Amino acid sequence: MKTENSTDARRAWMGLLAQSNEAELARLWLAFGAKPAFDWLRVPEAGGVMVRGRMGGSGAAFNLGEMTVTRCALTLNDGTVGHAYVQGRSKPKAEIAAQIDALMQTEVAADLRAAVLAPLQAAKQATKEARAAKAAATKVEFFTMVRGED
Amino acid sequence: MYVAVKGGERAIDNAHAWLAEERRGDMAIAELSTGQIREQMSLAVNRVMAEGSLYDPDLAALAIKQSRGDLIEAIFLIRAYRTTLPRFGYSEAVETGAMACDRRISATFKDAPGGQVLGPTFDYTHRLLDFKLAADGEVPKAATAAPRMEPTPHITEFLRGEDLIEQEPVADVVPGDLTREPMRFPAGRALRLQSLTRGDEGFILGMAYSTQRGYGRNHAFVGELRIGKVPVEMEIPELGFAIEIGEVELTECETVNQFKGSKTVPPQFTRGYGLVFGQSERKSIAMALVDRALRWEELGEDNLGAAAQDEEFVLSHADNIQATGFLEHIKLPHYVDFQSELELVRKLRREAQELAEHLAAREAAE
């Protein structure tokens, strides 16, 4: 059985799911096919996380303000546990994310990665690159005027 | 004296129904969606998130719609809502050095690595009304160039070597949280920064401007200003490791300020810091100036008696929800209080008059 359960891989997919566009995530999940049966360990719940910054960008921490986050946890019939902490207040988004987190620890991981995570990652990268490309176009190119005779 | 305290219910209900109708405005005009507010009034959304101290653009857009565009009322709604949210925890400190910058400028270092990136700025516009916006129109596509995908390091990183600028001490202390414990003075820099970042933009701007005009002048240059998104990470107890739980747009301003040095520190540049939710450039520059002014004591500077140097004054008056709550409460019924004031004034007048009459009578008798 090929599973992807190393911490780094899990961190990556959970982070991707947390930041995903809900409509896009729901569309890809719906298209993925059979959904697992599961029991709730913690039903979806919206809450706040206090975001911290650093003084001067690099010094000691301070509390900047909160952001909304929705979390839940569930268990598949085989005992695999899925967690979700996703940005915003959408309970359906958290539910899908937790199911994907659980299934990514099972033998469907590769299919799920191809069907859902890879397109989400590509969309995220494309959005980021599109903004960076617009930013790059506003970069000032200084030039020095040559004045007078040589 | 008995004062009627009942009887307003019907008037209040009718006032609120009329408010709803006024909020909707002319029914012949299409209704605003919260999505339209989020996308097209994004800087108002940013301000409500920053001062409401809750990053959620959809909620901020809803609050702006509900408040008819009164941003302080919208901030009030967000503050009230956030008190209902269970607190899941505290994030790791965000790494602004890894920000995907939409904008990054420096007023001090022309050739900063990563360059001067203007981003979607109002700067260099002519501030002339654009009547094309009053008609529906297509927006021309923004130009693109080869994207720079590597992180843009902070400009102060490049000054470390020469020791010309103070370094931020990295301390592993848990910062105070003014949403959990009431503020006490001296508050310290962590609480000051939390208070300033959620403080009223107008107030912080006024305080910052006062330092520029000479009330606690600190000769600030914008060393760096950057706007962009950073991921937010939080340690998840049930997992035992940290994951990214989302990303937030931030505006960060670092000022570079003149400093003559002290007995223990050679002359070097000092820093003020501003970090605000959303694209909030004016606020973050102002925050950095006020942060720097409030640091006079730790830097061994003189207390010039300037308002912006007075931590208790600045922090006690920066919060527009506290301020408007106390200000606006005086319009609510104070009939009993006023009745007693009225009685008091009548009594004082009566006494004054009696005294005057008594004195006049004695004078006449003498």
Side-chain angles (χ1 to χ4, degrees), chain B residues 217-279:
Chain B
R217 193 188 299 279
N218 55 40
H219 305 276
F221 294 100
V222 171
E224 181 166 3
L225 180 80
R226 53 170 64 197
I227 302 175
K229 286 189 168 156
V230 294
V232 180
E233 271 197 22
M234 184 171 73
E235 177 89 20
I236 307 296
E238 53 270 37
L239 292 173
F241 52 83
I243 62 165
E244 289 181 5
I245 53 170
E247 63 176 0
V248 293
E249 185 184 32
L250 297 174
T251 303
E252 180 184 53
C253 176
E254 282 209 77
T255 57
V256 174
N257 304 65
Q258 203 180 78
F259 182 56
K260 293 188 187 72
S262 66
K263 287 185 191 107
T264 52
V265 182
Q268 62 174 183
F269 292 106
T270 57
R271 300 153 72 163
Y273 190 63
L275 186 67
V276 185
F277 278 157
Q279 188 174 331

Coordinates of all heavy atoms in Angstrom, one line a residue, chain B residues 217-279:
Chain B
R217 N 9.6 65.4 17.2 CA 10.1 65.1 15.9 C 11.1 64.0 15.9 O 11.9 63.9 16.8 CB 10.8 66.4 15.3 CG 11.1 66.3 13.9 CD 11.9 67.5 13.4 NE 11.3 68.8 13.7 CZ 10.4 69.3 12.8 NH1 10.0 68.7 11.7 NH2 9.8 70.5 13.1
N218 N 11.0 63.0 15.0 CA 12.0 62.0 15.0 C 12.6 61.7 13.6 O 13.2 60.6 13.4 CB 11.5 60.7 15.6 CG 10.2 60.2 15.0 OD1 10.0 60.2 13.8 ND2 9.3 59.8 15.8
H219 N 12.5 62.6 12.7 CA 13.2 62.6 11.4 C 13.1 61.2 10.7 O 14.0 60.5 10.5 CB 14.7 63.0 11.6 CG 14.8 64.3 12.3 ND1 14.8 65.5 11.6 CD2 15.0 64.6 13.6 CE1 15.0 66.5 12.4 NE2 15.1 66.0 13.6
A220 N 11.9 60.9 10.4 CA 11.7 59.5 9.8 C 11.8 59.6 8.2 O 11.3 60.5 7.6 CB 10.3 59.0 10.2
F221 N 12.4 58.5 7.7 CA 12.3 58.2 6.3 C 11.7 56.9 6.2 O 11.9 56.0 7.0 CB 13.7 58.1 5.7 CG 14.5 59.4 5.7 CD1 15.5 59.6 6.6 CD2 14.3 60.3 4.7 CE1 16.2 60.8 6.6 CE2 15.1 61.5 4.7 CZ 16.0 61.7 5.6
V222 N 11.0 56.7 5.0 CA 10.5 55.3 4.8 C 11.6 54.5 4.3 O 11.9 54.6 3.1 CB 9.2 55.3 3.9 CG1 8.8 53.9 3.5 CG2 8.1 56.0 4.6
G223 N 12.2 53.7 5.1 CA 13.3 52.8 4.7 C 12.7 51.7 3.7 O 13.3 51.4 2.7
E224 N 11.5 51.3 4.1 CA 10.9 50.3 3.2 C 9.4 50.2 3.5 O 8.9 50.3 4.6 CB 11.5 48.9 3.5 CG 10.9 47.8 2.5 CD 11.7 46.5 2.5 OE1 12.7 46.4 3.2 OE2 11.2 45.6 1.7
L225 N 8.7 50.1 2.4 CA 7.2 49.9 2.5 C 6.9 48.7 1.6 O 7.3 48.7 0.4 CB 6.5 51.1 2.0 CG 5.0 51.1 2.0 CD1 4.5 51.3 3.5 CD2 4.4 52.1 1.1
R226 N 6.2 47.7 2.1 CA 5.9 46.5 1.2 C 4.5 46.1 1.5 O 4.0 46.1 2.6 CB 6.9 45.4 1.4 CG 7.1 44.9 2.8 CD 7.9 43.6 2.9 NE 9.2 43.8 2.4 CZ 10.0 42.7 2.0 NH1 9.5 41.5 2.1 NH2 11.2 42.9 1.6
I227 N 3.8 45.7 0.4 CA 2.4 45.2 0.5 C 2.4 43.8 -0.2 O 2.9 43.7 -1.3 CB 1.5 46.1 -0.2 CG1 1.5 47.5 0.4 CG2 0.0 45.6 -0.1 CD1 0.7 48.6 -0.3
G228 N 1.8 42.8 0.4 CA 1.6 41.6 -0.3 C 1.1 40.5 0.7 O 0.7 40.8 1.8
K229 N 1.1 39.3 0.2 CA 0.5 38.2 1.0 C 1.6 37.4 1.7 O 2.7 37.1 1.1 CB -0.3 37.3 0.1 CG -1.6 38.0 -0.3 CD -2.6 37.1 -0.9 CE -4.0 37.7 -1.0 NZ -4.8 37.2 -2.1
V230 N 1.3 37.0 2.9 CA 2.2 36.0 3.6 C 1.3 34.9 4.2 O 0.2 35.1 4.5 CB 2.9 36.7 4.8 CG1 3.9 37.8 4.4 CG2 1.9 37.3 5.8
P231 N 1.9 33.7 4.2 CA 1.1 32.6 4.8 C 1.1 32.7 6.3 O 2.1 33.3 6.9 CB 1.9 31.3 4.3 CG 3.3 31.8 3.9 CD 3.1 33.3 3.6
V232 N 0.1 32.2 6.9 CA 0.0 32.1 8.4 C 0.1 30.7 8.8 O -0.7 29.8 8.4 CB -1.4 32.7 8.8 CG1 -1.4 32.7 10.4 CG2 -1.5 34.2 8.3
E233 N 1.0 30.4 9.7 CA 1.2 29.1 10.2 C 0.8 29.0 11.7 O 1.0 29.9 12.4 CB 2.7 28.7 10.2 CG 3.2 28.1 8.9 CD 4.5 27.4 9.0 OE1 4.9 27.0 10.1 OE2 5.2 27.2 8.0
M234 N 0.2 27.8 12.0 CA -0.1 27.6 13.4 C 0.2 26.2 13.8 O 0.0 25.3 13.0 CB -1.6 27.9 13.7 CG -1.9 27.8 15.2 SD -3.6 28.4 15.7 CE -4.6 27.1 15.0
E235 N 0.7 26.1 15.0 CA 1.0 24.7 15.6 C -0.4 24.1 15.9 O -1.2 24.7 16.6 CB 1.8 24.9 16.8 CG 2.1 23.6 17.6 CD 3.4 23.0 17.1 OE1 4.2 23.6 16.5 OE2 3.5 21.7 17.4
I236 N -0.6 22.9 15.4 CA -1.9 22.2 15.7 C -1.7 21.2 16.7 O -0.9 20.2 16.5 CB -2.4 21.6 14.4 CG1 -2.5 22.6 13.2 CG2 -3.8 20.9 14.6 CD1 -3.4 23.7 13.4
P237 N -2.2 21.4 17.9 CA -1.9 20.5 19.0 C -2.2 19.0 18.7 O -1.4 18.1 19.0 CB -2.8 21.0 20.2 CG -3.2 22.3 19.8 CD -3.2 22.4 18.3
E238 N -3.3 18.8 18.1 CA -3.7 17.4 17.8 C -2.8 16.7 16.8 O -2.8 15.5 16.6 CB -5.2 17.2 17.5 CG -5.7 18.1 16.3 CD -6.2 19.5 16.8 OE1 -5.6 20.1 17.7 OE2 -7.2 20.0 16.2
L239 N -2.1 17.5 16.0 CA -1.2 16.9 15.0 C 0.3 16.9 15.5 O 1.0 16.1 15.1 CB -1.2 17.8 13.7 CG -2.5 17.7 12.9 CD1 -2.5 18.7 11.8 CD2 -2.8 16.3 12.4
G240 N 0.6 17.9 16.3 CA 2.0 17.9 16.9 C 2.9 18.6 15.9 O 4.1 18.6 16.1
F241 N 2.4 19.3 14.9 CA 3.3 20.1 14.0 C 2.5 21.3 13.5 O 1.2 21.4 13.7 CB 3.8 19.3 12.8 CG 2.8 18.5 12.0 CD1 2.1 19.1 11.0 CD2 2.6 17.2 12.3 CE1 1.2 18.4 10.2 CE2 1.7 16.4 11.5 CZ 1.0 17.1 10.5
A242 N 3.2 22.2 12.9 CA 2.5 23.5 12.4 C 2.1 23.3 10.9 O 2.8 22.7 10.2 CB 3.5 24.6 12.5
I243 N 1.0 23.9 10.6 CA 0.6 23.9 9.2 C 0.2 25.3 8.8 O -0.1 26.1 9.7 CB -0.6 23.0 8.9 CG1 -1.9 23.4 9.7 CG2 -0.3 21.5 9.2 CD1 -3.2 22.8 9.2
E244 N 0.1 25.6 7.5 CA -0.4 26.9 7.1 C -1.9 26.8 7.2 O -2.5 25.9 6.6 CB 0.1 27.1 5.6 CG 1.5 27.5 5.5 CD 2.0 27.8 4.1 OE1 1.2 27.8 3.2 OE2 3.2 27.9 4.0
I245 N -2.5 27.8 7.9 CA -4.0 27.8 8.0 C -4.6 28.8 7.1 O -5.8 29.0 7.1 CB -4.4 28.0 9.5 CG1 -3.7 29.3 10.0 CG2 -4.0 26.8 10.3 CD1 -4.2 29.7 11.3
G246 N -3.8 29.5 6.3 CA -4.3 30.5 5.5 C -3.3 31.5 5.1 O -2.1 31.3 5.4
E247 N -3.7 32.6 4.4 CA -2.7 33.7 4.1 C -3.4 35.0 4.3 O -4.7 35.1 4.1 CB -2.1 33.5 2.7 CG -3.1 33.6 1.6 CD -2.3 33.6 0.2 OE1 -1.1 33.4 0.2 OE2 -3.1 33.6 -0.8
V248 N -2.7 36.0 4.6 CA -3.2 37.3 4.8 C -2.4 38.3 4.0 O -1.2 38.2 3.8 CB -3.3 37.7 6.3 CG1 -4.2 36.9 7.1 CG2 -1.9 37.7 7.0
E249 N -3.1 39.4 3.6 CA -2.4 40.5 2.9 C -2.1 41.5 4.0 O -2.9 41.8 4.9 CB -3.4 41.1 1.9 CG -2.7 42.2 1.1 CD -3.6 43.0 0.2 OE1 -4.8 43.1 0.5 OE2 -3.1 43.4 -0.9
L250 N -0.8 41.9 3.9 CA -0.3 42.9 5.0 C 0.4 44.0 4.3 O 0.9 43.9 3.2 CB 0.7 42.2 5.9 CG 0.2 41.0 6.7 CD1 1.4 40.3 7.4 CD2 -0.8 41.4 7.7
T251 N 0.4 45.2 5.0 CA 1.2 46.3 4.6 C 2.2 46.5 5.7 O 1.8 46.6 6.9 CB 0.4 47.6 4.4 OG1 -0.6 47.3 3.4 CG2 1.3 48.7 3.9
E252 N 3.5 46.6 5.4 CA 4.5 46.7 6.4 C 5.4 48.0 6.1 O 5.7 48.2 4.9 CB 5.5 45.5 6.3 CG 6.6 45.5 7.3 CD 7.5 44.3 7.2 OE1 8.0 44.1 6.1 OE2 7.8 43.6 8.2
C253 N 5.6 48.8 7.1 CA 6.4 49.9 6.9 C 7.6 50.0 7.9 O 7.3 49.8 9.1 CB 5.6 51.2 7.0 SG 6.6 52.7 6.9
E254 N 8.8 50.1 7.5 CA 9.9 50.3 8.4 C 10.5 51.7 8.1 O 10.9 52.0 7.0 CB 11.0 49.3 8.1 CG 10.6 47.9 8.6 CD 11.9 47.2 9.0 OE1 12.5 47.5 10.0 OE2 12.3 46.3 8.2
T255 N 10.5 52.5 9.2 CA 11.1 53.8 9.0 C 12.5 53.7 9.5 O 12.9 52.9 10.3 CB 10.4 54.9 9.8 OG1 10.3 54.5 11.2 CG2 9.0 55.1 9.2
V256 N 13.4 54.6 9.0 CA 14.7 54.7 9.4 C 14.8 56.1 10.0 O 14.5 57.1 9.3 CB 15.7 54.5 8.2 CG1 17.1 54.8 8.6 CG2 15.5 53.2 7.6
N257 N 15.2 56.2 11.2 CA 15.2 57.5 11.9 C 16.6 57.9 12.4 O 17.3 57.1 12.9 CB 14.2 57.4 13.1 CG 12.9 57.0 12.7 OD1 12.7 55.8 12.3 ND2 11.9 57.8 12.9
Q258 N 16.8 59.2 12.4 CA 18.0 59.8 12.9 C 18.2 59.5 14.4 O 17.2 59.5 15.1 CB 17.9 61.3 12.7 CG 19.2 62.0 12.6 CD 18.9 63.5 12.5 OE1 18.6 64.1 13.4 NE2 19.1 64.0 11.3
F259 N 19.4 59.2 14.8 CA 19.6 58.9 16.2 C 21.0 59.4 16.5 O 22.0 58.9 15.9 CB 19.4 57.5 16.5 CG 19.5 57.2 18.0 CD1 18.8 57.8 19.0 CD2 20.4 56.2 18.4 CE1 18.9 57.5 20.3 CE2 20.6 55.9 19.8 CZ 19.8 56.6 20.7
K260 N 21.1 60.3 17.5 CA 22.4 60.9 17.8 C 23.3 59.9 18.6 O 24.5 60.2 18.8 CB 22.2 62.2 18.6 CG 21.6 63.3 17.8 CD 21.6 64.6 18.5 CE 20.8 65.7 17.9 NZ 19.4 65.4 17.9
G261 N 22.7 58.9 19.2 CA 23.5 58.0 20.0 C 23.3 58.4 21.5 O 22.7 59.4 21.8
S262 N 23.7 57.5 22.4 CA 23.6 57.8 23.8 C 24.8 57.4 24.5 O 25.8 57.1 23.8 CB 22.4 56.9 24.3 OG 22.7 55.6 24.3
K263 N 24.8 57.3 25.8 CA 26.0 56.9 26.5 C 26.5 55.6 26.2 O 27.7 55.3 26.1 CB 25.8 57.0 28.0 CG 25.6 58.4 28.6 CD 25.5 58.4 30.1 CE 25.1 59.8 30.6 NZ 23.7 59.9 31.0
T264 N 25.6 54.7 25.9 CA 25.9 53.3 25.6 C 25.9 52.9 24.2 O 26.5 51.9 23.8 CB 25.0 52.3 26.4 OG1 23.7 52.7 26.1 CG2 25.2 52.5 27.9
V265 N 25.2 53.7 23.3 CA 25.0 53.3 21.9 C 25.6 54.3 21.0 O 25.4 55.5 21.2 CB 23.5 53.1 21.6 CG1 23.3 52.7 20.2 CG2 22.8 52.2 22.6
P266 N 26.4 53.9 20.0 CA 27.0 54.9 19.1 C 25.9 55.4 18.2 O 24.9 54.9 18.1 CB 28.0 54.0 18.3 CG 27.5 52.6 18.4 CD 26.8 52.5 19.7
P267 N 26.2 56.6 17.5 CA 25.2 57.1 16.6 C 24.9 56.1 15.5 O 25.8 55.4 15.0 CB 25.9 58.3 16.0 CG 27.0 58.7 16.9 CD 27.4 57.4 17.6
Q268 N 23.6 55.8 15.3 CA 23.2 54.9 14.3 C 21.7 55.2 14.0 O 21.1 56.0 14.7 CB 23.3 53.5 14.8 CG 22.5 53.1 16.0 CD 22.5 51.7 16.4 OE1 21.9 51.3 17.3 NE2 23.3 50.8 15.7
F269 N 21.2 54.6 13.0 CA 19.8 54.8 12.7 C 19.0 53.9 13.5 O 19.4 52.8 13.9 CB 19.5 54.5 11.2 CG 20.2 55.5 10.3 CD1 21.3 55.2 9.5 CD2 19.6 56.8 10.2 CE1 21.9 56.1 8.7 CE2 20.2 57.7 9.3 CZ 21.3 57.4 8.6
T270 N 17.8 54.4 13.9 CA 16.9 53.6 14.7 C 15.6 53.3 13.8 O 15.6 53.9 12.7 CB 16.4 54.3 15.9 OG1 15.9 55.6 15.6 CG2 17.6 54.5 16.9
R271 N 14.7 52.6 14.3 CA 13.6 52.1 13.4 C 12.3 52.3 14.1 O 12.1 52.2 15.3 CB 13.8 50.6 13.1 CG 15.1 50.3 12.4 CD 15.6 48.9 12.7 NE 14.8 47.9 12.0 CZ 15.1 46.7 11.8 NH1 16.3 46.3 12.3 NH2 14.4 45.8 11.2
G272 N 11.3 52.6 13.3 CA 9.9 52.5 13.7 C 9.2 51.5 12.9 O 9.7 51.2 11.7
Y273 N 8.2 50.8 13.4 CA 7.6 49.7 12.7 C 6.1 49.8 12.6 O 5.4 50.1 13.5 CB 8.0 48.4 13.4 CG 7.6 47.2 12.6 CD1 8.2 46.9 11.4 CD2 6.7 46.3 13.1 CE1 7.9 45.8 10.7 CE2 6.3 45.1 12.4 CZ 7.0 44.9 11.1 OH 6.6 43.8 10.4
G274 N 5.6 49.6 11.4 CA 4.1 49.5 11.2 C 3.8 48.2 10.4 O 4.5 47.9 9.4
L275 N 2.8 47.5 10.9 CA 2.3 46.3 10.2 C 0.8 46.3 10.4 O 0.3 46.3 11.5 CB 2.9 45.1 10.8 CG 2.6 43.7 10.1 CD1 3.3 43.7 8.7 CD2 3.1 42.6 10.9
V276 N 0.1 46.3 9.2 CA -1.4 46.4 9.3 C -2.0 45.4 8.3 O -1.5 45.2 7.2 CB -1.8 47.9 8.9 CG1 -3.3 48.1 9.0 CG2 -1.0 48.9 9.7
F277 N -3.1 44.9 8.7 CA -3.9 44.0 7.8 C -4.3 44.7 6.5 O -4.7 45.9 6.5 CB -5.2 43.6 8.4 CG -5.1 42.4 9.4 CD1 -6.1 42.2 10.4 CD2 -4.1 41.5 9.3 CE1 -6.0 41.1 11.2 CE2 -4.0 40.4 10.1 CZ -5.0 40.2 11.1
G278 N -4.2 44.0 5.4 CA -4.7 44.6 4.1 C -3.7 45.6 3.5 O -2.6 45.8 3.9
Q279 N -4.2 46.2 2.4 CA -3.4 47.3 1.8 C -3.8 48.5 2.5 O -4.8 49.2 2.3 CB -3.8 47.3 0.3 CG -2.9 48.3 -0.5 CD -3.2 48.2 -2.0 OE1 -3.6 47.2 -2.5 NE2 -2.9 49.3 -2.7

